[in-house]
Amino acid sequence: INLLLRFLKSAKHFNYTIKVGGGDYVTAPGGGQKVRLLKTALEEMKKQDKIILFIESYDVVFASGPKELLKKFQQTRHKVVFSSESLIWPDRHMEDKHPHVREGNRFLGSGGFIGYLPNIREMVADWKGKDNDSDQLFFTKIYIDPVKRKSINITLDSTCRMFQNLHGALDEVVLKFENGRVRARNLLFDTLPVIIHGNGPTKLQINYLGNYIPNTWTFENGCTAVDFSIENYYKCFFEYPMVLIGIFIQQPTPFVTVFFERLLKLQYPKNRLKLLIFNQEVHHERHVSSFLHDHGNLYQNVKFIRPEEGMDGPASRNLGFDMCRKDKDCEYFFSIDIEVVLKEENTLKILIEQNLPIVAPMITRVGRLWSNFWGALSSDGYYARSEDYVDIVQGRRVGVWNVPYVSSVYLVKGSLLRSELTDSELFNSHILDPDMAYCHSVRNKSVFFLFFNQFSSYLILSCDILCYVTQWLNCDMSSVPQPCPDVYWFPVFSDVACDHLVEEMEHFGQWSGGRNKDSRIQGGYENVPTVDIHMNQINFEKNWHKFLLEYIAPITEKMYPGYYTKAQFDLAFIVRYKPDEQPSLRPHHDASTFTINIALNQLGPDYQGGGCRFLRYDCSIKAPRKGWALMHPGRLTHYHEGLPTTAGVRYIAVSFVDP
């Protein structure tokens, strides 16, 4: 239905009069039924000067109107004009029998032709084939017969002025944007075809072109096909549609508690939501259990699949679809991976408002061009970058896009699962990952994946605390507090980031013991030892360098004019201070150009005492607030000591940074 509606929509845009014939597009082995239906329809027509356009529908879009098409047809001075192809099909032995053309493609394409009623009637008069016979072979035999070709007065649109078949011509066809409309341009012949046909294995390409043609998206007006407003939409319902949300936890992931906090903030009635939570990680049992204990009763129903049940990822996703399939009240299935951070609280409402079979919001990764869709596929069915991928990800083109692959988060209509997607093992494959197997199965059913980028959320990289760095770079740097000479402090981490970093270190557990002998550092001797764990012990040094380079270096250059750094460091570590372990640190210089010291827990609730004293300036600083960084020069001027922690446990993150 989506394919036919796309065709009809483009036809309506240009005011074509359409008569739709039947036929089994998906399962029929041949196109003979099209010839039979055409022959029957022609018998009812009486006007001899009537011009008939016969084309496919499921894989066709119009790029221009009847006036241009008729003009180009009449300029050929023939009675019947077929589309052309550079590839011969279905019988290569007929190649030599095709007449040569002055320019362009030699071979006939049966997916589109235009002609006068008497001539087309004569052309199909002898059809006595079966519905599963080849229409391509039937029309080809007529065309290569010199007598019939002359009698009917047939020619080919060899330079694609009217018809553009994409099979064998993908490298020749590009989009042409001008004056608020979009055309397909054939670069080889420098023509602007009126009708675009995604014949053969080019269904993904016609989907891509249909994102723009005829004016679905333009540079002048953006997306013109969808009304993004959600106001008044739900007035169409007596109550909100019932949605089953499938939440999938398949790997250790930071900020699981934040995910559930955002889930609670979704602007949608909780009594119209059911939850399926699949958790494969024992580490996250307490996070899920805590959420369900506090808030599970808000939802109409909850099913929780625990790690000990032994279910794998594909089976859990198949189960989610099947639960919605069998529940007559389930109008939508909303699939979301635990790594997804939904910033837009109206995400679910907005997606439902689109009224599409499958629609996905855009997810990105901070500072990267990664997203949760593919704009194109390679010849082997894997990722390929489309021409518009970067513009879509960066928001220069905003709309709803027909794409071959989506992942991480998407909304599926329950009616679709009960009709076209009834296979209970959509995510299963011996050779493909579950998400690719699912998308492959859906594409084979000719169901569209629609990708929505009016707003974007983001995906957490595994063990990536940078996603939760506060946006202090947007502050006025001149207002950064300076508690001691050339010493600055400022917020850098959220409470959640601090908590997870501490949890990660305690989970690792290999604290150094605070001894001078230390095999982890060059020379094996630490002059001023602390009880600590180095970032490289948990394979986090690359992430930490990225944090220093992107978030600390800019403020360093602002606070210390004329100094520039690439944030190289020999040592970055988490220190633990305890009264009965190591409460303080003796006076010392740091082996750095400058030092960053980040408080990872809170003075008062977590510990007492602590802080730093700069001896040269006789200036003491109480422990900074949780998540705040203390920055100061390391060598020569800022001789300092760590003040005693008198109760509890204090954690700080320390980096010795050089140019």
Side-chain angles (χ1 to χ4, degrees):
I1 291 177
N2 294 315
L3 303 170
L4 179 60
L5 289 177
R6 176 179 62 189
F7 167 77
L8 293 175
K9 183 178 179 180
S10 69
K12 181 179 179 181
H13 179 79
F14 292 112
N15 295 316
Y16 282 94
T17 301
I18 298 294
K19 180 179 176 65
V20 179
D24 188 343
Y25 169 77
V26 177
T27 62
Q33 81 277 19
K34 293 184 291 184
V35 187
R36 174 177 58 79
L37 292 167
L38 173 62
K39 184 177 179 180
T40 302
L42 293 177
E43 292 172 354
E44 302 173 2
M45 300 180 185
K46 306 301 181 184
K47 195 174 180 180
Q48 297 302 302
D49 61 350
K50 183 184 287 288
I51 295 176
I52 307 297
L53 172 66
F54 186 79
I55 52 175
E56 305 278 3
S57 59
Y58 291 120
D59 50 6
V60 167
V61 292
F62 286 101
S64 190
K67 185 177 179 179
E68 179 180 337
L69 180 64
L70 288 171
K71 180 180 179 180
K72 289 180 175 179
F73 168 58
Q74 290 165 350
Q75 287 172 344
T76 67
R77 299 183 180 180
H78 285 74
K79 299 299 184 181
V80 177
V81 180
F82 273 86
S83 69
S84 67
E85 299 193 47
S86 61
L87 305 173
I88 185 170
W89 182 86
D91 189 347
R92 295 187 59 86
H93 296 95
M94 293 183 175
E95 180 173 353
D96 293 339
K97 297 181 181 180
H98 280 73
H100 289 277
V101 296
R102 180 178 300 176
E103 180 186 11
N105 302 322
R106 283 180 62 198
F107 307 117
L108 176 143
S110 66
F113 56 86
I114 186 172
Y116 289 95
L117 174 60
N119 304 79
I120 294 179
R121 184 179 283 154
E122 178 185 352
M123 184 171 64
V124 300
D126 295 333
W127 171 260
K128 297 181 177 61
K130 300 176 181 178
D131 278 4
N132 61 357
D133 286 345
S134 171
D135 62 321
Q136 174 81 15
L137 186 60
F138 172 72
F139 289 124
T140 296
K141 287 181 177 180
I142 294 174
Y143 176 65
I144 64 177
D145 184 322
V147 176
K148 291 183 178 180
R149 184 170 68 248
K150 183 176 180 180
S151 171
I152 301 170
N153 196 359
I154 303 174
T155 190
L156 300 184
D157 178 29
S158 60
T159 58
C160 305
R161 299 180 73 236
M162 290 177 280
F163 303 96
Q164 176 66 66
N165 291 311
L166 294 179
H167 188 32
L170 291 178
D171 293 337
E172 303 166 12
V173 180
V174 298
L175 291 168
K176 178 179 174 63
F177 297 87
E178 62 175 17
N179 301 325
R181 65 181 295 190
V182 187
R183 299 287 298 264
R185 179 187 177 194
N186 186 300
L187 295 174
L188 183 62
F189 306 123
D190 195 21
T191 55
L192 298 174
V194 176
I195 296 161
I196 316 301
H197 180 201
N199 58 321
T202 63
K203 300 299 182 281
L204 297 181
Q205 286 73 23
I206 191 65
N207 290 348
Y208 166 74
L209 295 174
N211 284 329
Y212 297 91
I213 299 171
N215 71 336
T216 309
W217 190 96
T218 66
F219 281 106
E220 291 84 356
N221 302 312
C223 182
T224 61
V226 178
D227 178 7
F228 290 134
S229 67
I230 64 173
E231 294 180 7
N232 301 321
Y233 176 72
Y234 289 96
K235 292 180 181 178
C236 300
F237 294 94
F238 291 104
E239 57 184 352
Y240 282 72
M242 180 66 71
V243 181
L244 172 59
I245 300 181
I247 300 165
F248 300 93
I249 309 173
Q250 294 185 247
Q251 60 184 343
T253 306
F255 314 123
V256 168
T257 53
V258 174
F259 173 92
F260 285 116
E261 288 171 7
R262 291 185 179 274
L263 181 68
L264 281 171
K265 292 179 181 178
L266 274 183
Q267 295 300 301
Y268 204 89
K270 301 295 187 290
N271 64 351
R272 302 300 295 165
L273 297 176
K274 299 179 181 181
L275 299 184
L276 165 66
I277 303 178
F278 168 72
N279 178 31
Q280 212 170 12
E281 288 294 332
V282 175
H283 175 68
H284 293 312
E285 280 283 281
R286 59 191 177 91
H287 301 127
V288 179
S289 297
S290 176
F291 167 76
L292 293 179
H293 178 269
D294 294 340
H295 309 290
N297 61 349
L298 297 176
Y299 298 89
Q300 187 174 116
N301 186 52
V302 176
K303 181 176 178 63
F304 180 23
I305 301 173
R306 302 173 182 272
E308 57 265 28
E309 296 184 41
M311 183 177 289
D312 62 17
S316 69
R317 294 175 190 271
N318 286 327
L319 174 65
F321 275 11
D322 209 41
M323 286 175 61
C324 184
R325 212 178 267 126
K326 295 176 179 178
D327 182 355
K328 62 181 178 60
D329 295 326
C330 180
E331 295 177 68
Y332 290 93
F333 183 81
F334 186 47
S335 177
I336 182 168
D337 294 350
I338 198 70
E339 298 89 353
V340 173
V341 179
L342 292 177
K343 296 189 294 183
E344 172 55 68
E345 294 181 358
N346 286 304
T347 293
L348 190 52
K349 285 183 180 180
I350 293 172
L351 295 180
I352 291 174
E353 188 266 344
Q354 305 312 307
N355 194 28
L356 296 168
I358 302 177
V359 61
M362 183 167 75
I363 305 297
T364 59
R365 280 176 172 163
V366 176
R368 303 190 182 188
L369 281 175
W370 181 93
S371 187
N372 60 318
F373 80 101
W374 294 353
L377 295 181
S378 63
S379 58
D380 56 0
Y382 288 85
Y383 171 82
R385 178 170 289 186
S386 61
E387 173 272 333
D388 55 0
Y389 178 85
V390 174
D391 281 350
I392 292 174
V393 173
Q394 294 184 341
R396 291 194 290 268
R397 301 185 188 185
V398 175
V400 178
W401 311 95
N402 190 330
V403 298
Y405 170 94
V406 296
S407 65
S408 303
V409 55
Y410 46 84
L411 184 74
V412 184
K413 275 191 172 182
S415 58
L416 181 71
L417 295 174
R418 289 185 280 270
S419 57
E420 296 172 73
L421 301 183
T422 56
D423 185 350
S424 62
E425 296 185 345
L426 287 172
F427 291 90
N428 289 16
S429 174
H430 296 299
I431 57 175
L432 297 175
D433 291 339
D435 55 344
M436 293 184 63
Y438 159 65
C439 291
H440 177 77
S441 299
V442 173
R443 291 196 305 269
N444 284 347
K445 295 289 186 180
S446 299
V447 175
F448 289 166
F449 289 106
L450 284 306
F451 180 77
F452 183 87
N453 73 326
Q454 186 201 13
F455 61 88
S456 68
S457 294
Y458 57 87
L459 193 78
I460 301 172
L461 296 175
S462 183
C463 295
D464 186 357
I465 66 169
L466 302 186
C467 295
Y468 282 86
V469 174
T470 58
Q471 300 301 310
W472 51 264
L473 281 176
N474 295 326
C475 301
D476 179 4
M477 293 292 102
S478 63
S479 65
V480 173
Q482 188 176 179
C484 294
D486 282 329
V487 178
Y488 301 91
W489 55 10
F490 45 85
V492 63
F493 285 160
S494 70
D495 285 356
V496 175
C498 295
D499 293 343
H500 278 266
L501 196 50
V502 170
E503 287 176 11
E504 187 66 33
M505 291 303 177
E506 288 291 2
H507 177 72
F508 181 72
Q510 298 180 27
W511 296 96
S512 64
R515 293 178 290 273
N516 294 107
K517 187 177 180 180
D518 193 340
S519 61
R520 300 172 301 169
I521 63 175
Q522 188 175 5
Y525 184 85
E526 172 57 66
N527 187 42
V528 188
T530 54
V531 175
D532 56 46
I533 295 174
H534 290 186
M535 295 297 184
N536 59 13
Q537 291 181 259
I538 62 168
N539 297 316
F540 201 62
E541 67 273 21
K542 290 182 179 179
N543 304 69
W544 196 255
H545 179 251
K546 180 179 174 68
F547 157 64
L548 293 175
L549 189 62
E550 294 191 8
Y551 294 91
I552 299 301
I555 198 170
T556 303
E557 294 165 8
K558 191 78 173 179
M559 294 300 98
Y560 304 122
Y563 176 77
Y564 302 97
T565 179
K566 293 184 179 179
Q568 301 299 322
F569 62 88
D570 288 327
L571 288 177
F573 48 95
I574 305 299
V575 178
R576 184 174 71 185
Y577 289 114
K578 297 170 65 175
D580 58 352
E581 186 177 63
Q582 181 184 11
S584 60
L585 195 61
R586 66 178 177 81
H588 63 283
H589 283 294
D590 290 338
S592 66
T593 302
F594 69 91
T595 296
I596 297 293
N597 178 325
I598 304 171
L600 298 180
N601 57 349
Q602 187 64 50
L603 175 65
D606 301 321
Y607 64 89
Q608 298 294 326
C612 182
R613 176 173 176 255
F614 294 93
L615 280 72
R616 179 177 180 179
Y617 306 104
D618 192 22
C619 181
S620 297
I621 302 172
K622 289 185 178 181
R625 283 175 283 178
K626 183 178 181 180
W628 281 55
L630 187 71
M631 181 173 71
H632 61 83
R635 300 182 181 90
L636 191 61
T637 58
H638 282 62
Y639 191 60
H640 62 284
E641 63 180 332
L643 300 176
T645 297
T646 57
V649 183
R650 181 188 179 208
Y651 297 93
I652 59 173
V654 180
S655 301
F656 294 163
V657 186
D658 289 304

